[in-house]
Amino acid sequence: MKSHPPNDNVQDVDTAIFAAITKIAAHIGSKGKFKKAGSLARQLLASGTLERKHGRAFIKVLETAMLDRPNVNDPALKNDYRALFLAAEANASDIFSKPDQQKLGAWAIRAVLQNELTTDDNYEFNKKLAKIRGYVKELSDWSEFCPPELPPLPEEPSPPAQEASEEHDPFGLDALLPDKAHKAAQKDFEARMGAFMAAKMALVEARAEASAAALLDDRRDAIV
């Protein structure tokens, strides 16, 4: 069970954790600084202080580490990459959301599985090979992923203006007895708002599909 600091220190601890994550993310993409930054990231993972609220920030550390792909399998760095991503996988359910766990799984194929294939042990090699065959079997769509050009979200419509002055509405009845023009404007607004919400939902779904397809492509590329 994770230990939690007293309530009055939680904010200070969180500030320190986020500051450490930010500093690690700023250096882990550098080949010359990866060993030290990766070691600090592993220490943070092992400390037991990371929670789900830190997951989005920490996934950026791993994402930055994977930006320069040749570094992942570099003989001088591969053991450090393997150790970092094994540590991240061991803490995945406590720290990362489901989508981020899927990203981590795709990256771990490169950082862990690919680096373990360099073993001289035939038994271990065949074990890893069987694991890769399992991943290949899971991949249902081998078509090349092309990121779609997602349309921008249309501007949200504004409700019709209410003109209620004593001069135009001396008895204050316009709100109760709206004229035909206002009714038409309100109806038009509702139609435009409905179209806006439909477009917004379609864009959200398209982005989700694009993200899933990109993740599948990254996973496929790592296996190949």
Side-chain angles (χ1 to χ4, degrees), residues 157-163 181-190 192:
S158 301
Q162 290 270 15
E163 292 186 3
H182 180 75
K183 284 182 179 179
Q186 182 65 26
K187 190 173 182 180
D188 177 66
F189 164 71
E190 289 172 1
R192 286 185 292 114

Side-chain angles (χ1 to χ4, degrees), residues 99 102-103 141 143-151 201-220:
Q102 291 177 334
K103 286 182 184 178
D141 181 12
S143 60
E144 198 68 28
F145 168 67
C146 297
E149 292 186 7
L150 300 178
M201 286 304 300
L203 188 58
V204 168
E205 289 173 3
R207 285 174 176 167
E209 289 175 4
S211 177
L215 182 61
L216 175 66
D217 191 64
D218 193 36
R219 189 179 180 90
R220 179 192 307 122

Side-chain angles (χ1 to χ4, degrees), residues 5 7 33 38 45 75 78 81 106 149 169 172 184 195 209 215 221:
N7 289 336
K33 297 178 180 179
L45 286 165
K78 66 180 184 179
Y81 266 95
E149 292 186 7
D169 184 22
E209 289 175 4
L215 182 61
D221 190 38

Side-chain angles (χ1 to χ4, degrees), residues 2-82:
K2 292 184 178 181
S3 59
H4 294 277
N7 289 336
D8 54 349
N9 292 330
V10 168
Q11 188 172 358
D12 290 340
V13 171
D14 273 344
T15 300
I17 289 173
F18 281 116
I21 292 173
T22 301
K23 187 173 286 188
I24 292 169
H27 293 94
I28 203 163
S30 169
K31 185 175 181 178
K33 297 178 180 179
F34 179 82
K35 279 182 176 288
K36 184 173 182 180
S39 175
L40 291 172
R42 295 199 307 273
Q43 289 176 40
L44 199 53
L45 286 165
S47 70
T49 57
L50 294 183
E51 300 177 28
R52 185 61 63 91
K53 60 186 173 183
H54 306 118
R56 288 301 300 147
F58 200 90
I59 203 72
K60 292 296 181 184
V61 170
L62 303 177
E63 186 174 33
T64 303
M66 295 300 294
L67 288 177
D68 198 346
R69 294 293 171 81
N71 288 349
V72 181
N73 308 117
D74 187 296
L77 299 176
K78 66 180 184 179
N79 289 334
D80 297 278
Y81 266 95
R82 178 179 176 276

